[in-house]
Amino acid sequence: MTTNVGTIDRILRVSLGLGLLYLAFLSGMPAFEGGLVKYGAAVVGVVMLVVAATRVCPIYSIFSFKTCRV
């Protein structure tokens, strides 16, 4: 698979992923006490971190979209 995630996109994905994991497990907010919201946020957070680490977004590939220069 070819790289299709640029640097700014990676930074935003890492920030979003870490933020969602924080909200899911460390924030103690009542909205994240329920299982569905808590683990849903955790799954989305992990997916964001994996995409940022690999620099390949499957959804970008489907739509032939790139945020990287080359």
Side-chain angles (χ1 to χ4, degrees):
M1 298 187 88
T2 61
T3 302
N4 59 8
V5 177
T7 304
I8 295 173
D9 196 0
R10 287 178 72 193
I11 292 169
L12 293 174
R13 286 176 188 268
V14 168
S15 300
L16 180 64
L18 292 176
L20 285 172
L21 288 174
Y22 170 78
L23 288 172
F25 296 115
L26 301 174
S27 70
M29 293 176 63
F32 290 93
E33 292 297 322
L36 182 65
V37 175
K38 180 178 186 173
Y39 293 113
V43 166
V44 171
V46 168
V47 168
M48 289 291 142
L49 291 175
V50 168
V51 169
T54 61
R55 299 185 70 176
V56 176
C57 179
I59 295 175
Y60 281 7
S61 296
I62 291 170
F63 295 111
S64 299
F65 186 72
K66 286 186 174 186
T67 57
C68 59
R69 292 189 179 203
V70 176

